Amino acid sequence: MSERYFDADVRDGAETFARTKHGILIGGEWRDAVSARVFETYNPATKSLLGVIPEAGAEDVELAVDAASRAFNEIWSKLPPSERQRLLWRLGDAVEAHADELAVLETLDNGKPVREARVIDIRNAIETLRYCAGWATKLTGETVPVSFPGEWHSFTVRQPFPVVGLIVPWNAPIMMAIAKLAPALAAGCCAILKPAELTSLTALRIGQLTQEVGFPPGVINILTGAGRGVGQAIVDHPGIEKISFTGSGAVGQQIISSAARTMKKVTLELGGKSAVVIMQDADLDKAIPSAARGIFGNAGQICNAGSRIYAHRSVYDRVLQGVADFAEKLVVGNGLLPSTQMGPLISQAQLERVCQYVALGRTDGASVVIGGNAEDETGYFMRPTVVAQTRQNMRIVQEEIFGPVVCVQRFDDNNALDDLAMLANATEYGLGAVLWTRDLSSAHRLANRMRAGTIRINGGGLDPALPFGGMKKSGWGRESGREGVEAFTETKSVIVAL
């Protein structure tokens, strides 16, 4: 972005798009929902109206499935893999060309600092499109020797699900939409994308870009609306053979139950309560700010947020003070302002939820070192919060809060690696974990014992090439990497008598 952060015309363009009359995308056409119902979307930093969005329902899902099925049978399945690759790469170029606009639109709709949206979310979306584009030409089977009497040629092939349903959350709208669209399209599927009701705008803009770069009509369909309405209809429809969902554990369990009726394949990326373990030999100059950014980034509204910090007693005081100092200096405000380092929570309901967890922690005996309260009444702002003197059985330690609240606990020399692993593993979640130590042996041994889908040692981030997903109640299956693309295919065995 420029020194001015972004040009005034970029903001004007994003706001104009938000106010534009929107439609749902079915079969290459933008149209009203069959019911003609709409809902409003608001800027969480100002509580002001951004735009009016169509509320799709079961009738629209029916139309979208028909359009996607026709597109798959008549066009998409007949294109060579290199054409899917080319279209995905062109979409990546289009997202890059409109990166500032998309970042501002994301901030208006979600609230996160625009620089964070630009540098993290939009960049990740671009890289995901380009990474998955390469897989379009590389999804292969293998030849398999068999032991039947006679002479045979046996092999496997990977074939896409014709129509898939992609349901994305509100905390990283564009990044998560692309994280599901890109592998599905690379695999050869046609998609029905449902953005979160609270944050639909960037998905609608991406829909326009897919048309501009030449995706055939019906390959990508976008239905906006509530999860209990259009989302449930997507899960229930027998013509959709695969669901990829990111969101809460409660909704994930409902999807499993509903999908069982039609035997849909399901990928679920659900909640987390990720542990950050800081050993006595850790590089604290790196570990402390990293741990703070890991919980206060996106106002803590990240499934993989490091919301539990376990620090060795010899460094505990410095870690606690360092994270608290980081929190105190954070500038909380409207994400469009250059000075803002942490934006608002997504809604009044989410703000109340986070404040209730802090109050519950106090009731249970925890000590709030800093923060713990709403910021002001302009938007849904929460002060970054550091909590100490917690116990493992406290709800504030065990349950996902999805806000800028971190619990800091100490461990001592009596805690062997097995004990540390037990601390890190002592929740129903298993999405991620972070470990800080200079001891390579301890790092590998502890990482081996941690029950989480992604372990980061001494830093690092998430990359489209790395599989991402959770253990335990953090989900089913993996997104990203080779596994993420293959999840949108089924393996077929073929045997030929020679």
Side-chain angles (χ1 to χ4, degrees), residues 112-182:
K112 67 179 59 183
V114 69
R115 189 178 300 280
E116 184 177 315
R118 178 67 175 85
V119 174
I120 299 176
D121 298 55
I122 308 301
R123 179 180 178 183
N124 183 277
I126 296 166
E127 293 303 315
T128 297
L129 285 162
R130 290 171 176 167
Y131 173 82
C132 289
W135 275 113
T137 57
K138 299 171 185 67
L139 288 171
T140 61
E142 59 181 353
T143 57
V144 182
V146 297
S147 300
F148 295 132
E151 193 172 359
W152 308 89
H153 175 50
S154 304
F155 59 94
T156 62
V157 294
R158 286 194 169 272
Q159 294 186 328
F161 295 100
V163 182
V164 298
L166 312 175
I167 303 175
V168 301
W170 48 257
N171 63 324
I174 190 170
M175 186 166 69
M176 294 308 306
I178 295 299
K180 295 186 186 298
L181 268 177

Side-chain angles (χ1 to χ4, degrees), residues 383-414:
R383 285 304 309 171
T385 302
V386 179
V387 181
Q389 297 180 21
T390 58
R391 300 183 304 277
Q392 282 293 98
N393 62 350
M394 288 182 176
R395 288 181 61 187
I396 198 172
V397 175
Q398 289 295 315
E399 299 178 15
E400 184 178 42
I401 299 173
F402 224 61
V405 179
V406 62
C407 298
V408 186
Q409 294 180 232
R410 64 164 55 84
F411 65 90
D412 58 34
D413 293 327
N414 294 325

Side-chain angles (χ1 to χ4, degrees), residues 19-57:
R19 292 191 299 268
T20 301
K21 183 182 185 304
H22 297 289
I24 53 178
L25 179 61
I26 299 178
E29 297 180 359
W30 295 95
R31 60 177 76 184
D32 294 336
V34 171
S35 67
R37 290 194 298 267
V38 296
F39 63 94
E40 297 175 336
T41 187
Y42 292 86
N43 184 336
T46 63
K47 303 182 184 179
S48 59
L49 178 67
L50 278 175
V52 179
I53 312 290
E55 186 174 347

